[in-house]
Amino acid sequence: MLPIAKTKIVSFIMMIVLLITAFSSTLISAETDTAENQQNTDNIISLSEYDNGYVDYIAKFDDISRNVQEILLYSGEEKNFAKNQRLDFDVSINEDSLYQISMEYLNTEKRNLDITVYIDGDIPFFEAQSITFPSYWKDSGDKRVDSNGNEFAPEQVLADEYNTVECRDYTGQIAAPYLFYLSKGEHRVSLVLNDGECKFKRIMLKNEENPDPYNSEAIEKDADSYKDVNNVIEIEAEDAFVKSSSALIPKSDDGSADVSPSSPTNAKINYIGGSNWSGQNDEIRWKFNVETAGYYNIAFLYRQTQLNSVSYRHLKIDGKTPFAEAEKIKFKYTVSWNYLKWSENDTPYLIFLSEGEHTLSLSVTAGEYTEIYRQLKELSNDLGDLYIDMTMVIGETVDVSRSYELFNQIPDFNERLKSAADGLEGVAAELERLQEKKGGSNVSTIRNAVEILEKMYNNPYSAHKYKSAYYSSYTNISALLGTITSMPLDIDRIFFIGRDAVNISPKASLIEKIGFGVTRFISSFAGDYAKTEKEENGIQIWVNWGRDQTQVLDSLIQSDFVEKEKVFVTVKLVNASFIQAILSGNGPDVLLQMSRTEPVNLAMRKALVNLEQFDDFDEVITRFQDGATIPFEYNGGTYAIPDSSSFFVMFVRTDILEGLDLQIPKTWQEFIYVMTILQHNNLQVSLPYIQIADSSTVNVGVGGLSLYPTMLVQNGLSLYKDDHTATNLTKEAQIQVFEEWTDMYTKYKVPKTMDFYNRFRIGSAPLGIAVYTLYTQLKAAAPEIEGRWTAVPIPGVVGEDGKINNSSAGSGSGCSITKLSKNPENAWKFLKWWTSASVQLKYSESLESILGPLGRVASSNIEALNNMIWDNDFIEVLNSEINKVTQIPEIPGGYYTARCIDQAFWNVVEQNKIPTDMMLEWGAVADGEISRKRQEYVE
Amino acid sequence: MQKNKNRINQGISDTVAAYILLAPFIILFFVFTILPVLSSFVLSFCSYDMISAPSFSGLSNYLRMFNGDEVLPKAIVNTLKFSVVTGPVSFLLAFLLAWLINEFGKGMRSFLSFLFYAPALVGNAYFIWQIAFSGDSYGYVNNILISLGFIEEPINWFKNVTYNMPILIFVQLWLSMGVSFLADIAGLQNVNSELYEAGAIDGIRTRWHELWYITLPSMKDILLFGAVMQIQATFSIGAVIKVLAGYPSVNNSVDTIVSHLQDVGIIRYEMGYAAAISVVLFLMMAVTRIVVGKILNSLGK
């Protein structure tokens, strides 16, 4: 540890030096602040764009009356709406009013539509910049059955019927469709399609009356005129007509006798919903037929297993809400399947159904939770901004012996704390009211935060001491945001019970349940889950994946590969290594997703087949980025082809960098400049580093473990000698780069370990380099920073030609054919099928529909990667970056290289050793191991 | 004659019954314990990568230990450091705690035994030390030290050669209150209480006398059992260290024989050499066991 004064002086001088170099190289725009300006601590980040959100917009038009009318902007034959196209509609309005904008459309592409709405050339409120119109999906056919007789969900395809949807919110903040204000006179309404593609038939301005509350007297009176409505209409919920997301697949509960259909011996598809049916406005529609017109009561066999919460659904019949109560039907928490007859105080709600076909729609609505979500999000933003302000004054860690007087340093510090605490307390009270009981985990999370805030403003002189408690309160509240409007629900059956029909009891009786349980237990011995027999030309695949992944793979194989190639394939879920398979002499033909180092390790022991022997090998590898097979090459052969690949990109909190007048760095020089400014404001950056702990981390391969190989390839240097007989670690140029890399940690004090995901969310590490798959995680699980961050290519090195080389060292996995295979030709067919774009895409989409966005696969097939649903700007980054990835070869003894780099690294950054000495010492050790292995296997 | 034959028949049928009853254990013990030990002894003279068939290579594996493996000497020294500290300390600590806890009433005794046995019971609980000694400034220890003003920057505890050994020894001690502690409690309760009365009459004055002349000698077998378990545990330290400090640790400063052995065998596929190391480890344990047995035999003399 350096004394603090010395460290500060050093870093200050460094910063000045860097500032000068940055200015002289004119790489940074001239508007950047001078060092003096940077020292002002009142550099508060404001997010002005959030000030004109929909809530503020609509509040201005409180007293505007709403005239019930429809104004058609377009109606007629179907037209195409292509990406980046703009539609303009001129409309004359008779009276000042508020309108919904709705569109009848049919998706022609899988992506959801993303539309910007302009009124007279302006975006009326922030959210109108990006309004989602979901793509509608349906089952492609009947349920599928696997080789064990278990049913699984049919493939999801785009629906082929038009749907009418209003502009509305999908984040859970606003329950009703958006309203747009149009004054009396001429206006121009414009729609711009940013993403997706569709056809449309009708676009209109609509102003609906709010539905009336249920009028029991009038309805009962009317109902008397229909005699003998005593039939019961039963809908199997899994047979949905359309749904607003491909993730709403029919599901199977094979452990309960209550569901229909159910079987104690095999999995049956029998319900729909689950955690995938939980986001605001996620909709499922069913079609059903009514034979006798009259009044019906609706009932559900449902399950809602999320503790401490209720789920709401908005019910519509034929696109209309029958009465106000149908806007939020409440489903309470249940452990098992539960029968709900929708009623108020034992009086069932009655809905009129005419004879003929009807559509029932249930969509997720957060009900009263929308307001809670909105308030929490605002509070979480405020808390986040305040945290960054505090960090800029205090730094990452608090020096307790110092008096920071935060209330003097940060404007309105105490007021901001107080208002946040009051806001949170209000939310907690409202939550207690809604959940109809005191306490609970959500409420106590909020109350804990309130307590911290109170302590801070009650003890203004020691408020800084609570910084880390404040941080964890903030992250807890942000996490709450992700779950609080989640409204999962499973539905097995929906019933329309005629007014005069006798009551039904759809749940299984006790005797049925016992019978089910006993049969299920007995049949568990009979199932042959480990079919080992091999057919004549069949191939066997071993995977050690999760059950979901395996089932998706198996279903793809059975429905696609087996059909096409007539090759019998068995997929076995085993927890055994390939080594054990070889020892027992009974093993798989094909290995999938082998870790980086494995193919060469096995190939040098002659356990794998050289794939170059197949005629179309050269053609197949064009599916991947150039040189993607380099890590799988050994002794003139190629022993695997890649099936997943990843590389680094840089994640940037744009709001914070803008607040500090910084631009996104494109070179390392700029990166270091930005880093020093950030550090001067007590913020941090993150660089990728994985600690080598066991075989699984060694097997990641050297490229994915740290930034060093990436910096080498950017400098045009290689890690190994061309003939692969030794490393280049002891060469001068390589040592130079090593020093640049370790300087980041020693001179610039980049933290060696940090939880980048959380630090990025809160903003204390607004800049960092990480594997690109973090993008999906941030998109899916960090709603509170949506729109405030971006992912860009990593910084690079300026070459002699003036171009920036920002390539990244690659990592990933491969698939291969083993020597145990009796049918290498068929196994090769399988590998070609598995790495093809359509299969990789289907595999990823199926996983996403089960596991959510986090199930997305880091496919090595470039076409497949391109067709996954990424944001527009990110897909460009992906495309430019994947072609720049430089693969590091794997060689016998190569595991020692990663280790020795790691050893040298820790000696330098933690024990203050000299980089050159360490590289010479450990480079020699790595070379020693490589030559020993070469003696053993190569020479 | 008739009588004799009967007796012999009976003898045979007795032993047959005994062997039949023993058979399940004997077979399993032979297949899963004796056979692997023997085969690793055989393999230690072979070159074997688990994929190709083993080939005889004479003493080369043993020679490599002395010439050509820089990590092994460090690993042996580290293992000895760990076992010299954690072995005796945790053995004594286990006994001392058991002795103290034994003085409490039944309820309190069960509660305290549970408390001290818990770390061994919950398996992977040592992960809490990973959080506690995290190199991040939000790691518990770093955070406390920083907020108390002792340090300014977070320390990478497990990556720093000054701190990692002591911390790991501490973690190992925390974990080691395992079987020997429970065995000690059981042993203390089985000491014949009449012996204490007799001792009091024969002139034992203090509790220390009681401990030395009565308690310890009556518990010799239990103590030996505890010691054997402890030796086995301390010499095979490795898994926990690998998780906390990584493998290899910085400058191999806390790598042990077992973690090196697993590395050689599983990551580098050099089963023959790994077997040779395991044979050496086995010999080290056996020698220690003999020495400890001698020491325990001298109790109360």
Side-chain angles (χ1 to χ4, degrees):
Chain A
M1 274 176 295
L2 284 162
I4 187 157
K6 203 171 156 194
T7 328
K8 286 231 165 125
I9 291 166
V10 169
S11 60
F12 187 74
I13 293 169
M14 280 312 304
M15 209 195 67
I16 301 278
V17 169
L18 280 158
L19 273 174
I20 293 162
T21 49
F23 279 120
S24 60
S25 60
T26 66
L27 288 163
I28 306 285
S29 75
E31 299 99 47
T32 37
D33 283 344
T34 58
E36 284 74 31
N37 281 343
Q38 286 299 334
Q39 276 174 338
N40 292 339
T41 40
D42 55 2
N43 217 329
I44 308 300
I45 291 153
S46 72
L47 296 152
S48 53
E49 69 215 54
Y50 290 89
D51 299 342
N52 50 17
Y54 179 71
V55 177
D56 297 332
Y57 172 79
I58 202 68
K60 286 186 270 184
F61 308 112
D62 246 1
D63 48 348
I64 301 287
S65 65
R66 291 167 57 181
N67 294 340
V68 181
Q69 53 175 321
E70 280 184 10
I71 301 169
L72 288 174
L73 298 178
Y74 176 82
S75 178
E77 56 185 80
E78 60 181 33
K79 271 192 170 180
N80 278 326
F81 197 3
K83 196 167 160 178
N84 297 326
Q85 194 184 332
R86 183 189 178 104
L87 300 174
D88 288 320
F89 304 101
D90 290 319
V91 61
S92 84
I93 304 285
N94 310 328
E95 205 177 339
D96 296 0
S97 188
L98 291 164
Y99 294 94
Q100 299 172 8
I101 299 177
S102 81
M103 175 163 74
E104 192 176 344
Y105 67 100
L106 173 68
N107 291 81
T108 48
E109 205 191 82
K110 288 173 179 175
R111 291 159 193 260
N112 292 338
L113 306 179
D114 180 59
I115 287 178
T116 308
V117 177
Y118 296 88
I119 306 280
D120 299 326
D122 289 327
I123 299 172
F125 48 87
F126 175 70
E127 288 88 344
Q129 198 174 321
S130 158
I131 292 177
T132 305
F133 284 84
S135 50
Y136 277 82
W137 297 76
K138 61 169 192 172
D139 296 347
S140 71
D142 276 342
K143 303 148 187 170
R144 295 175 282 186
V145 182
D146 73 8
S147 41
N148 289 318
N150 294 320
E151 290 182 355
F152 59 95
E155 202 183 312
Q156 302 298 302
V157 292
L158 280 178
D160 39 23
E161 295 203 18
Y162 274 82
N163 288 291
T164 306
V165 176
E166 308 85 21
C167 290
R168 57 192 184 190
D169 162 64
Y170 287 85
T171 61
Q173 293 190 78
I174 291 125
Y178 290 128
L179 292 170
F180 296 84
Y181 172 72
L182 291 170
S183 61
K184 188 178 172 184
E186 298 295 317
H187 290 283
R188 168 167 283 199
V189 177
S190 319
L191 305 180
V192 176
L193 185 58
N194 307 314
D195 197 10
E197 212 178 80
C198 72
K199 288 191 265 192
F200 64 95
K201 271 206 290 215
R202 213 145 58 109
I203 298 176
M204 61 182 177
L205 300 177
K206 194 165 72 162
N207 204 338
E208 279 180 348
E209 231 172 334
N210 286 336
D212 292 328
Y214 187 72
N215 184 341
S216 122
E217 250 173 58
I219 284 172
E220 292 286 344
K221 210 174 139 199
D222 190 35
D224 286 338
S225 56
Y226 295 90
K227 291 277 179 294
D228 295 331
V229 189
N230 52 16
N231 55 329
V232 174
I233 303 162
E234 191 174 326
I235 305 171
E236 291 286 353
E238 63 272 19
D239 298 329
F241 169 58
V242 287
K243 41 233 170 173
S244 66
S245 153
S246 62
L248 294 171
I249 50 169
K251 295 186 156 195
S252 156
D253 175 13
D254 55 3
S256 168
D258 291 331
V259 282
S260 153
S262 81
S263 153
T265 49
N266 289 108
K268 291 267 181 229
I269 292 289
N270 45 25
Y271 76 97
I272 198 163
S275 55
N276 288 336
W277 195 25
S278 58
Q280 176 83 1
N281 282 326
D282 280 348
E283 184 187 11
I284 301 180
R285 292 185 200 166
W286 295 266
K287 281 214 159 144
F288 63 100
N289 218 7
V290 178
E291 278 164 15
T292 319
Y295 278 85
Y296 290 83
N297 173 225
I298 190 168
F300 307 90
L301 191 66
Y302 81 100
R303 188 170 64 175
Q304 199 286 93
T305 51
Q306 185 165 284
L307 203 62
N308 282 328
S309 82
V310 270
S311 287
Y312 295 97
R313 287 296 179 273
H314 184 167
L315 174 139
K316 286 183 187 170
I317 302 281
D318 300 325
K320 295 225 157 49
T321 311
F323 37 83
E325 284 80 357
E327 281 179 344
K328 39 187 181 205
I329 305 180
K330 197 170 182 177
F331 293 88
K332 284 186 182 160
Y333 167 73
T334 60
V335 191
S336 58
W337 293 98
N338 194 23
Y339 178 61
L340 172 79
K341 220 165 161 321
W342 188 38
S343 55
E344 171 88 48
N345 305 328
D346 289 334
T347 324
Y349 286 116
L350 293 174
I351 300 167
F352 178 73
L353 296 173
S354 64
E355 205 180 306
E357 198 179 50
H358 292 275
T359 313
L360 162 71
S361 146
L362 288 177
S363 55
V364 179
T365 170
E368 280 134 325
Y369 280 78
T370 46
E371 185 56 22
I372 290 192
Y373 178 86
R374 210 183 47 70
Q375 288 178 6
L376 261 188
K377 190 169 175 189
E378 233 160 61
L379 288 164
S380 147
N381 279 340
D382 293 348
L383 290 176
D385 290 347
L386 190 55
Y387 181 79
I388 297 169
D389 290 346
M390 277 198 281
T391 308
M392 286 181 171
V393 175
I394 298 172
E396 198 63 65
T397 50
V398 181
D399 180 354
V400 277
S401 45
R402 230 180 104 181
S403 174
Y404 291 98
E405 300 192 5
L406 288 174
F407 57 94
N408 273 332
Q409 303 271 342
I410 300 169
D412 300 333
F413 182 68
N414 278 345
E415 289 72 19
R416 284 162 81 182
L417 284 175
K418 182 110 184 41
S419 82
D422 291 348
L424 286 173
E425 183 48 50
V427 171
E430 180 66 8
L431 261 182
E432 283 185 331
R433 188 183 70 78
L434 287 181
Q435 67 190 18
E436 294 169 15
K437 69 174 182 140
K438 295 268 169 210
S441 59
N442 293 346
V443 172
S444 53
T445 302
I446 298 174
R447 289 254 159 82
N448 285 343
V450 171
E451 204 177 306
I452 302 292
L453 297 177
E454 278 171 353
K455 276 185 188 157
M456 288 174 79
Y457 65 72
N458 287 335
N459 308 297
Y461 284 93
S462 54
H464 55 271
K465 284 183 185 162
Y466 299 100
K467 185 169 171 262
S468 64
Y470 181 100
Y471 169 77
S472 47
S473 301
Y474 168 82
T475 46
N476 289 340
I477 283 174
S478 299
L480 197 58
L481 267 182
T483 56
I484 201 154
T485 53
S486 160
M487 302 269 147
L489 180 69
D490 304 336
I491 295 189
D492 169 47
R493 273 170 287 170
I494 303 164
F495 305 93
F496 284 99
I497 302 163
R499 184 173 177 246
D500 309 314
V502 286
N503 269 336
I504 52 164
S505 50
K507 288 178 74 169
S509 68
L510 184 65
I511 291 170
E512 281 169 332
K513 275 184 183 162
I514 293 172
F516 182 90
V518 170
T519 326
R520 189 171 141 82
F521 176 69
I522 292 169
S523 67
S524 69
F525 294 101
D528 183 6
Y529 293 103
K531 282 186 187 151
T532 47
E533 87 278 9
K534 276 183 162 187
E535 286 213 348
E536 211 33 42
N537 65 349
I539 55 172
Q540 204 183 85
I541 298 161
W542 282 15
V543 289
N544 184 10
W545 303 350
R547 201 184 132 98
D548 292 327
Q549 283 89 336
T550 314
Q551 207 161 25
V552 167
L553 174 70
D554 195 26
S555 73
L556 273 177
I557 290 174
Q558 306 306 340
S559 66
D560 197 41
F561 183 72
V562 175
E563 292 275 300
K564 270 189 214 152
E565 303 285 347
K566 306 290 173 220
V567 173
F568 186 80
V569 183
T570 38
V571 178
K572 293 213 291 183
L573 184 58
V574 288
N575 185 13
S577 71
F578 177 58
I579 299 293
Q580 286 162 320
I582 289 195
L583 287 172
S584 72
N586 171 21
D589 297 80
V590 167
L591 296 171
L592 300 181
Q593 294 191 353
M594 304 161 81
S595 55
R596 186 72 156 188
T597 55
E598 242 179 316
V600 167
N601 268 331
L602 293 173
M604 71 191 201
R605 292 167 174 101
K606 301 191 174 49
L608 296 181
V609 169
N610 182 359
L611 302 180
E612 284 183 31
Q613 63 176 281
F614 300 106
D615 298 335
D616 49 354
F617 174 80
D618 289 333
E619 186 200 322
V620 170
I621 59 169
T622 56
R623 292 168 178 177
F624 317 112
Q625 163 249 336
D626 282 350
T629 55
I630 287 174
F632 310 129
E633 285 166 15
Y634 169 71
N635 230 6
T638 303
Y639 290 86
I641 51 176
D643 58 358
S644 80
S645 73
S646 55
F647 47 87
F648 296 124
V649 295
M650 184 163 67
F651 292 87
V652 186
R653 278 290 295 269
T654 41
D655 55 344
I656 296 174
L657 260 68
E658 271 164 29
L660 293 169
D661 266 345
L662 291 169
Q663 293 190 347
I664 295 171
K666 291 199 170 59
T667 65
W668 288 109
Q669 216 176 355
E670 292 177 3
F671 182 84
I672 289 172
Y673 167 77
V674 170
M675 177 165 78
T676 45
I677 301 290
L678 288 175
Q679 287 176 342
H680 194 74
N681 286 288
N682 290 318
L683 303 172
Q684 284 295 358
V685 304
S686 165
L687 297 178
Y689 170 77
I690 300 177
Q691 170 173 316
I692 296 180
D694 50 26
S695 57
S696 61
T697 40
V698 173
N699 287 345
V700 167
V702 68
L705 289 171
S706 73
L707 206 54
Y708 179 54
T710 297
M711 292 173 80
L712 278 184
V713 298
Q714 290 186 352
N715 281 289
L717 301 169
S718 61
L719 190 59
Y720 294 111
K721 282 191 179 151
D722 291 341
D723 58 0
H724 293 179
T725 53
T727 67
N728 280 330
L729 293 178
T730 50
K731 295 256 179 68
E732 204 185 327
Q734 272 77 356
I735 293 175
Q736 174 71 30
V737 174
F738 178 77
E739 212 169 330
E740 283 168 21
W741 175 48
T742 48
D743 278 355
M744 301 264 195
Y745 296 92
T746 51
K747 285 189 186 157
Y748 304 113
K749 302 282 174 198
V750 172
K752 281 144 242 166
T753 47
M754 76 149 73
D755 179 359
F756 179 52
Y757 169 67
N758 274 319
R759 301 272 276 276
F760 186 73
R761 285 177 70 171
I762 194 164
S764 69
L767 183 69
I769 294 170
V771 170
Y772 83 88
T773 44
L774 179 67
Y775 180 88
T776 349
Q777 201 185 347
L778 286 167
K779 273 278 164 192
E784 78 279 7
I785 54 166
E786 183 63 48
R788 299 160 146 218
W789 61 277
T790 184
V792 295
I794 55 169
V797 171
V798 187
E800 281 165 15
D801 53 356
K803 281 188 184 157
I804 298 170
N805 180 353
N806 61 356
S807 60
S808 164
S811 55
S813 63
C815 50
S816 187
I817 303 171
T818 72
K819 271 276 155 75
L820 295 173
S821 174
K822 294 190 187 79
N823 299 293
E825 287 294 334
N826 283 341
W828 175 241
K829 273 186 198 160
F830 179 79
L831 287 192
K832 284 192 287 186
W833 174 83
W834 164 242
T835 55
S836 68
S838 64
V839 174
Q840 286 283 304
L841 195 61
K842 261 190 214 163
Y843 175 68
S844 178
E845 280 170 357
S846 313
L847 271 189
E848 264 190 80
S849 70
I850 295 169
L851 304 171
L854 294 179
R856 185 169 302 174
V857 176
S859 179
S860 57
N861 187 305
I862 294 184
E863 193 190 331
L865 192 70
N866 262 310
N867 283 308
M868 291 175 191
I869 300 170
W870 305 99
D871 280 0
N872 275 331
D873 46 345
F874 189 61
I875 206 156
E876 276 163 33
V877 175
L878 277 184
N879 264 325
S880 77
E881 287 309 280
I882 194 163
N883 285 312
K884 282 188 224 151
V885 172
T886 309
Q887 304 291 351
I888 311 281
E890 287 296 333
I891 63 170
Y895 48 82
Y896 240 64
T897 314
R899 283 182 184 181
C900 289
I901 294 172
D902 208 44
Q903 290 283 11
F905 172 77
W906 282 108
N907 270 299
V908 171
V909 300
E910 197 69 32
Q911 330 284 348
N912 298 323
K913 296 272 177 60
I914 296 160
T916 314
D917 292 357
M918 286 301 109
M919 282 299 263
L920 291 175
E921 183 184 333
W922 288 102
V925 174
D927 289 344
E929 178 72 13
I930 290 166
S931 62
R932 215 174 58 76
K933 282 284 158 191
R934 283 186 67 80
Q935 271 168 21
E936 201 176 330
Y937 287 101
V938 186
E939 279 145 20
Chain B
M1 194 64 191
Q2 188 67 35
K3 221 177 174 181
N4 235 347
K5 202 178 168 188
N6 266 345
R7 200 185 296 152
I8 291 166
N9 275 346
Q10 202 176 350
I12 289 171
S13 59
D14 274 0
T15 35
V16 167
Y19 279 120
I20 287 172
L21 289 175
L22 270 175
F25 173 75
I26 298 273
I27 291 168
L28 289 177
F29 185 70
F30 182 78
V31 172
F32 292 105
T33 308
I34 306 282
L35 212 58
V37 170
L38 291 177
S39 66
S40 77
F41 185 71
V42 174
L43 278 178
S44 71
F45 296 100
C46 298
S47 167
Y48 181 40
D49 64 7
M50 293 193 283
I51 294 171
S52 339
S55 62
F56 183 73
S57 64
L59 282 173
S60 69
N61 284 330
Y62 289 94
L63 291 176
R64 189 176 150 200
M65 282 185 212
F66 298 101
N67 176 20
D69 186 352
E70 290 143 7
V71 183
L72 186 66
K74 293 182 193 169
I76 291 178
V77 170
N78 291 335
T79 309
L80 287 176
K81 277 188 199 165
F82 275 117
S83 36
V84 164
V85 182
T86 58
V89 170
S90 85
F91 180 67
L92 288 177
L93 217 59
F95 179 77
L96 221 68
L97 277 172
W99 192 46
L100 284 174
I101 286 171
N102 199 38
E103 298 295 307
F104 288 99
K106 194 162 181 278
M108 198 61 183
R109 192 164 61 210
S110 324
F111 175 71
L112 287 174
S113 328
F114 169 75
L115 217 61
F116 284 102
Y117 189 56
L121 204 65
V122 286
N124 289 342
Y126 58 83
F127 277 111
I128 65 158
W129 299 108
Q130 198 164 23
I131 303 165
F133 288 102
S134 162
D136 196 324
S137 55
Y138 291 106
Y140 295 148
V141 176
N142 274 327
N143 202 295
I144 291 167
L145 289 181
I146 289 172
S147 60
L148 293 178
F150 284 107
I151 54 176
E152 284 156 16
E153 282 168 16
I155 297 174
N156 270 284
W157 299 100
F158 292 117
K159 288 291 178 191
N160 192 310
V161 290
T162 329
Y163 303 116
N164 57 6
M165 178 67 96
I167 291 171
L168 286 167
I169 286 178
F170 166 75
V171 172
Q172 208 61 48
L173 275 176
W174 177 82
L175 272 173
S176 65
M177 290 294 143
V179 183
S180 64
F181 168 71
L182 276 197
D184 286 346
I185 288 194
L188 281 167
Q189 286 176 29
N190 282 336
V191 177
N192 190 347
S193 56
E194 287 171 7
L195 286 178
Y196 292 115
E197 287 169 30
I201 293 163
D202 285 350
I204 279 180
R205 292 278 154 75
T206 64
R207 293 299 296 270
W208 294 113
H209 279 154
E210 208 176 83
L211 179 69
W212 186 249
Y213 291 112
I214 299 172
T215 313
L216 285 179
S218 347
M219 280 182 65
K220 236 177 235 175
D221 292 339
I222 292 285
L223 289 177
L224 185 63
F225 168 76
V228 171
M229 298 308 288
Q230 207 61 251
I231 292 165
Q232 190 266 335
T234 51
F235 277 97
S236 47
I237 288 174
V240 178
I241 293 172
K242 250 164 83 170
V243 174
L244 295 180
Y247 185 90
S249 53
V250 178
N251 295 346
N252 306 102
S253 53
V254 289
D255 296 344
T256 61
I257 301 181
V258 169
S259 53
H260 180 55
L261 182 155
Q262 285 173 346
D263 177 52
V264 170
I266 295 165
I267 294 183
R268 301 202 230 166
Y269 297 177
E270 293 170 22
M271 256 321 166
Y273 184 48
I277 297 175
S278 73
V279 169
V280 170
L281 183 65
F282 173 74
L283 292 176
M284 281 170 67
M285 286 186 185
V287 170
T288 321
R289 150 75 182 84
I290 293 167
V291 173
V292 170
K294 288 251 159 73
I295 295 172
L296 286 177
N297 253 328
S298 64
L299 283 177
K301 282 178 187 159

